[in-house]
Amino acid sequence: MIRNRGTQIIKKGSVVKGKMNEPEIAPIYLTTAFHGKDLDDLEKYYSEKGYTYNRIRNPNRDALAELVTYLENGEDSMICSSGMAAISTIFLSMLAVGDHVVANNNLYGETLDLLKSLKRYGIETTVVDFNNLEELESAVRNETKVIYTETISNPLMTIVDIEAVSNIAHRNNARLIVDNTFATSLMFRPLDFGADVSINSLTKFANGHSDVVGGAATSSKELIGKAKSLQALLGCTMDSFSSFLCQRGIRTMDLRVKRQMDNANALAGVLDRNPNVLGVNYPNLEGHPQHELAKRIFENGYGAMLSFELPEDRDKVNRFMQELDIVKYAMTLGGYSTTLSYPVLSSHFQFTKEERLKMGISDGLMRVSVGIEDIEDLINDFTKALRVFE
Ligand SMILES: *Cc1c(COP(=O)(O)O)cnc(C)c1O
């Protein structure tokens, strides 16, 4: 019996079984279609092993699904061409005209845009603060079918009590969908805390090498079966090569993400003590509003995402960014290298300054996705660049 999750991550999801000796690594099935020998063979399409056409099923995608399902502790996963494809397909498969959604107010911007656009299909969304459970419950209606949140929010890293929210959802006959991208399954598995669906943008920590765009939804066989039928019609399945790359990325996720979380924890402490930094948002800092919750529910660390606040001085912020040698600006996260992003000009570009300040997002806020670099190099890079504020 293999107990260690790191070991299983290396072992799970090999698909090549049959007459030949198994290769160490499953081949990439770069094929549009699969031959059928006869009618008996064609009927296999309806069974577990039936491959006919790439949009519908592909062995590399199935192998990746097996691995993601294991990580998230679900029954099955749908593997999509992007995180947004997973989110939109799940919504469309679970919601119909007249249904209502209650969503957290600090979601990934494009998820909120998507929910808003569903209004013209007769699906309404109410947005509330999920750290106020009374406000959340009072927003639930008879028509509420889905409650939607992220485990850790962008860019302030607030944390939601998923177990409490799942109780509210189930008391009201709604289903809870959790976007677990920022946390990853190494730190938190939403399904273990009562969520019905766990979403991951595989683009981020799962693939981890900033060379694939992909997404997954993990849930029961029933919900995923329904979603996959729709996915085949929408045509947003992940291609074989990306599936292969993503599976390869996940093989080292245990090593990478644990190191990234350790680095983030150390960096958060250093930034917090730096006199040029006005504040740091990281779940393992005493001042974090859900620090106790984070300690209770997270395993292996507190995530590899943090944000910090600099004085609102555009010239100096520019110089700070120019001074960084190792850390580069990039509009992604979760890769092996440390990247910086600026919420005011990315995720929160559509808001006015007043709206942003109400959300706690100042013009000096920087978000960091911490990579696997040597921690001393990282600390030195930030410390050196922060001197522009002296
Ligand atoms: C990136 C991201 C998404 C969207 O994923 P894509 O792969 O870019 O489509 C959704 N949710 C969160 C939290 C993300 O960071």
Side-chain angles (χ1 to χ4, degrees):
M1 183 61 171
I2 298 168
R3 290 179 182 280
N4 186 295
R5 293 181 60 79
T7 308
Q8 288 287 30
I9 289 168
I10 291 167
K11 291 287 171 202
K12 284 259 170 189
S14 295
V15 281
V16 180
K17 298 188 180 81
K19 293 188 188 87
M20 65 179 161
N21 289 336
E22 286 185 21
E24 168 74 353
I25 297 298
I28 307 173
Y29 290 87
L30 280 177
T31 180
T32 308
F34 298 81
H35 292 158
K37 284 194 281 291
D38 53 24
L39 297 182
D40 295 341
D41 211 37
L42 288 183
E43 271 191 351
K44 278 199 218 154
Y45 162 65
Y46 297 102
S47 75
E48 277 289 291
K49 287 267 176 311
Y51 294 110
T52 54
Y53 187 60
N54 198 347
R55 171 161 49 74
I56 298 163
R57 290 192 69 191
N58 177 280
N60 296 107
R61 198 154 63 234
D62 280 358
L64 177 58
E66 185 184 337
L67 186 52
V68 172
T69 301
Y70 168 75
L71 285 173
E72 287 287 335
N73 206 12
E75 288 177 9
D76 199 3
S77 297
M78 167 176 70
I79 304 295
C80 296
S81 51
S82 69
M84 286 313 299
I87 295 168
S88 53
T89 306
I90 275 290
F91 281 156
L92 294 179
S93 74
M94 290 172 72
L95 294 164
V97 59
D99 289 345
H100 176 246
V101 177
V102 181
N104 202 353
N105 64 0
N106 51 20
L107 294 182
Y108 185 71
E110 280 158 316
T111 304
L112 266 184
D113 290 346
L114 172 66
L115 283 168
K116 279 183 203 151
S117 78
L118 289 180
K119 192 156 185 218
R120 67 194 184 100
Y121 301 101
I123 298 159
E124 252 191 74
T125 298
T126 306
V127 172
V128 293
D129 176 4
F130 277 37
N131 290 122
N132 182 342
L133 294 175
E134 279 164 28
E135 193 188 333
L136 164 57
E137 186 141 27
S138 64
V140 176
R141 309 176 191 162
N142 286 337
E143 305 77 45
T144 306
K145 289 282 158 56
V146 161
I147 294 185
Y148 191 96
T149 187
E150 288 158 15
T151 315
I152 305 177
S153 79
N154 177 45
L156 298 178
M157 313 304 150
T158 57
I159 293 161
V160 171
D161 187 342
I162 299 297
E163 198 167 19
V165 174
S166 80
N167 289 336
I168 292 174
H170 298 151
R171 246 199 326 269
N172 292 283
N173 297 317
R175 279 174 156 150
L176 173 63
I177 306 178
V178 176
D179 181 334
N180 199 39
T181 302
F182 270 38
T184 82
S185 60
L186 289 179
M187 187 173 147
F188 186 76
R189 288 176 296 285
L191 302 183
D192 291 352
F193 288 78
D196 298 282
V197 181
S198 179
I199 301 273
N200 281 281
S201 167
L202 301 175
T203 314
K204 316 293 170 51
F205 290 99
N207 179 59
H209 291 70
S210 304
D211 51 11
V212 166
V213 173
T218 307
S219 179
S220 63
K221 278 205 155 67
E222 186 208 337
L223 277 179
I224 294 300
K226 218 174 132 196
K228 273 190 187 169
S229 305
L230 179 64
Q231 181 199 27
L233 303 180
L234 295 173
C236 59
T237 42
M238 187 188 274
D239 70 280
S240 334
F241 188 52
S242 296
S243 301
F244 173 89
L245 280 179
C246 200
Q247 192 184 14
R248 185 170 92 149
I250 291 176
R251 299 294 189 205
T252 56
M253 188 175 160
D254 192 78
L255 283 174
R256 266 189 294 112
V257 177
K258 280 179 184 166
R259 164 91 166 220
Q260 287 173 270
M261 293 198 285
D262 287 349
N263 279 356
N265 197 46
L267 183 65
V270 167
L271 291 173
D272 199 39
R273 288 187 295 275
N274 190 301
N276 301 313
V277 172
L278 305 180
V280 179
N281 303 299
Y282 187 68
N284 196 29
L285 293 175
E286 292 287 335
H288 186 280
Q290 294 89 34
H291 177 57
E292 291 305 317
L293 174 65
K295 279 207 289 200
R296 185 155 54 82
I297 64 175
F298 291 156
E299 293 169 41
N300 291 315
Y302 294 84
M305 301 299 300
L306 62 89
S307 59
F308 63 98
E309 213 178 317
L310 296 172
E312 291 190 334
D313 179 332
R314 192 174 171 117
D315 287 341
K316 284 189 175 168
V317 171
N318 276 343
R319 276 176 47 216
F320 164 76
M321 289 175 72
Q322 292 156 8
E323 281 292 313
L324 290 166
D325 286 325
I326 300 174
V327 182
K328 296 278 178 263
Y329 176 88
M331 215 158 124
T332 187
L333 63 105
Y336 58 82
S337 66
T338 301
T339 54
L340 196 66
S341 92
Y342 184 63
V344 170
L345 289 183
S346 54
S347 56
H348 291 71
F349 186 60
Q350 74 270 38
F351 297 103
T352 64
K353 177 154 185 178
E354 199 186 356
E355 287 171 325
R356 276 192 272 108
L357 286 177
K358 235 191 236 163
M359 300 177 200
I361 297 163
S362 76
D363 284 357
L365 192 72
M366 287 282 166
R367 190 193 72 187
V368 189
S369 168
V370 183
I372 61 172
E373 297 89 347
D374 184 284
I375 186 61
E376 290 306 317
D377 286 340
L378 264 185
I379 289 172
N380 290 340
D381 206 30
F382 275 101
T383 308
K384 180 195 67 179
L386 282 167
R387 293 207 182 102
V388 306
F389 292 97
E390 280 166 9

PDB file of all heavy atoms in Angstrom, residues 261-272:
ATOM      1  N   MET A 261       5.813  27.230  -1.616  1.00  0.00           N
ATOM      2  CA  MET A 261       5.122  27.666  -0.397  1.00  0.00           C
ATOM      3  C   MET A 261       6.129  28.029   0.696  1.00  0.00           C
ATOM      4  O   MET A 261       5.949  29.024   1.408  1.00  0.00           O
ATOM      5  CB  MET A 261       4.155  26.578   0.092  1.00  0.00           C
ATOM      6  CG  MET A 261       2.996  26.358  -0.864  1.00  0.00           C
ATOM      7  SD  MET A 261       1.563  25.502  -0.153  1.00  0.00           S
ATOM      8  CE  MET A 261       2.153  23.825  -0.077  1.00  0.00           C
ATOM      9  N   ASP A 262       7.199  27.237   0.821  1.00  0.00           N
ATOM     10  CA  ASP A 262       8.233  27.560   1.811  1.00  0.00           C
ATOM     11  C   ASP A 262       8.867  28.906   1.483  1.00  0.00           C
ATOM     12  O   ASP A 262       9.091  29.743   2.370  1.00  0.00           O
ATOM     13  CB  ASP A 262       9.324  26.476   1.827  1.00  0.00           C
ATOM     14  CG  ASP A 262       8.839  25.188   2.473  1.00  0.00           C
ATOM     15  OD1 ASP A 262       7.749  25.209   3.096  1.00  0.00           O
ATOM     16  OD2 ASP A 262       9.526  24.158   2.343  1.00  0.00           O
ATOM     17  N   ASN A 263       9.174  29.103   0.197  1.00  0.00           N
ATOM     18  CA  ASN A 263       9.774  30.378  -0.223  1.00  0.00           C
ATOM     19  C   ASN A 263       8.828  31.546   0.060  1.00  0.00           C
ATOM     20  O   ASN A 263       9.254  32.598   0.536  1.00  0.00           O
ATOM     21  CB  ASN A 263      10.099  30.344  -1.723  1.00  0.00           C
ATOM     22  CG  ASN A 263      11.413  29.631  -2.024  1.00  0.00           C
ATOM     23  OD1 ASN A 263      12.123  29.224  -1.106  1.00  0.00           O
ATOM     24  ND2 ASN A 263      11.728  29.482  -3.299  1.00  0.00           N
ATOM     25  N   ALA A 264       7.543  31.356  -0.246  1.00  0.00           N
ATOM     26  CA  ALA A 264       6.568  32.433  -0.039  1.00  0.00           C
ATOM     27  C   ALA A 264       6.471  32.781   1.435  1.00  0.00           C
ATOM     28  O   ALA A 264       6.405  33.962   1.815  1.00  0.00           O
ATOM     29  CB  ALA A 264       5.194  32.012  -0.573  1.00  0.00           C
ATOM     30  N   ASN A 265       6.477  31.757   2.275  1.00  0.00           N
ATOM     31  CA  ASN A 265       6.387  31.979   3.718  1.00  0.00           C
ATOM     32  C   ASN A 265       7.575  32.810   4.206  1.00  0.00           C
ATOM     33  O   ASN A 265       7.411  33.778   4.961  1.00  0.00           O
ATOM     34  CB  ASN A 265       6.340  30.612   4.420  1.00  0.00           C
ATOM     35  CG  ASN A 265       5.850  30.720   5.834  1.00  0.00           C
ATOM     36  OD1 ASN A 265       4.855  31.398   6.105  1.00  0.00           O
ATOM     37  ND2 ASN A 265       6.559  30.080   6.750  1.00  0.00           N
ATOM     38  N   ALA A 266       8.769  32.453   3.732  1.00  0.00           N
ATOM     39  CA  ALA A 266       9.975  33.190   4.141  1.00  0.00           C
ATOM     40  C   ALA A 266       9.943  34.613   3.588  1.00  0.00           C
ATOM     41  O   ALA A 266      10.222  35.581   4.306  1.00  0.00           O
ATOM     42  CB  ALA A 266      11.225  32.456   3.657  1.00  0.00           C
ATOM     43  N   LEU A 267       9.565  34.745   2.319  1.00  0.00           N
ATOM     44  CA  LEU A 267       9.540  36.067   1.689  1.00  0.00           C
ATOM     45  C   LEU A 267       8.499  36.980   2.351  1.00  0.00           C
ATOM     46  O   LEU A 267       8.754  38.170   2.573  1.00  0.00           O
ATOM     47  CB  LEU A 267       9.256  35.929   0.189  1.00  0.00           C
ATOM     48  CG  LEU A 267       9.280  37.215  -0.625  1.00  0.00           C
ATOM     49  CD1 LEU A 267      10.678  37.837  -0.641  1.00  0.00           C
ATOM     50  CD2 LEU A 267       8.809  36.956  -2.062  1.00  0.00           C
ATOM     51  N   ALA A 268       7.343  36.401   2.696  1.00  0.00           N
ATOM     52  CA  ALA A 268       6.296  37.197   3.344  1.00  0.00           C
ATOM     53  C   ALA A 268       6.819  37.789   4.653  1.00  0.00           C
ATOM     54  O   ALA A 268       6.587  38.967   4.958  1.00  0.00           O
ATOM     55  CB  ALA A 268       5.052  36.338   3.606  1.00  0.00           C
ATOM     56  N   GLY A 269       7.546  36.993   5.415  1.00  0.00           N
ATOM     57  CA  GLY A 269       8.111  37.463   6.688  1.00  0.00           C
ATOM     58  C   GLY A 269       9.102  38.593   6.465  1.00  0.00           C
ATOM     59  O   GLY A 269       9.077  39.618   7.162  1.00  0.00           O
ATOM     60  N   VAL A 270       9.981  38.419   5.474  1.00  0.00           N
ATOM     61  CA  VAL A 270      11.001  39.434   5.188  1.00  0.00           C
ATOM     62  C   VAL A 270      10.344  40.740   4.731  1.00  0.00           C
ATOM     63  O   VAL A 270      10.711  41.827   5.190  1.00  0.00           O
ATOM     64  CB  VAL A 270      11.985  38.906   4.114  1.00  0.00           C
ATOM     65  CG1 VAL A 270      12.855  40.024   3.562  1.00  0.00           C
ATOM     66  CG2 VAL A 270      12.849  37.797   4.704  1.00  0.00           C
ATOM     67  N   LEU A 271       9.368  40.639   3.827  1.00  0.00           N
ATOM     68  CA  LEU A 271       8.690  41.849   3.337  1.00  0.00           C
ATOM     69  C   LEU A 271       7.945  42.540   4.472  1.00  0.00           C
ATOM     70  O   LEU A 271       7.919  43.768   4.581  1.00  0.00           O
ATOM     71  CB  LEU A 271       7.711  41.500   2.209  1.00  0.00           C
ATOM     72  CG  LEU A 271       8.339  41.038   0.892  1.00  0.00           C
ATOM     73  CD1 LEU A 271       7.249  40.550  -0.071  1.00  0.00           C
ATOM     74  CD2 LEU A 271       9.159  42.148   0.241  1.00  0.00           C
ATOM     75  N   ASP A 272       7.342  41.732   5.346  1.00  0.00           N
ATOM     76  CA  ASP A 272       6.574  42.272   6.468  1.00  0.00           C
ATOM     77  C   ASP A 272       7.468  43.102   7.397  1.00  0.00           C
ATOM     78  O   ASP A 272       7.025  44.083   7.983  1.00  0.00           O
ATOM     79  CB  ASP A 272       5.932  41.101   7.222  1.00  0.00           C
ATOM     80  CG  ASP A 272       4.777  41.545   8.101  1.00  0.00           C
ATOM     81  OD1 ASP A 272       4.017  42.424   7.650  1.00  0.00           O
ATOM     82  OD2 ASP A 272       4.648  41.035   9.225  1.00  0.00           O
TER      83      ASP A 272
END
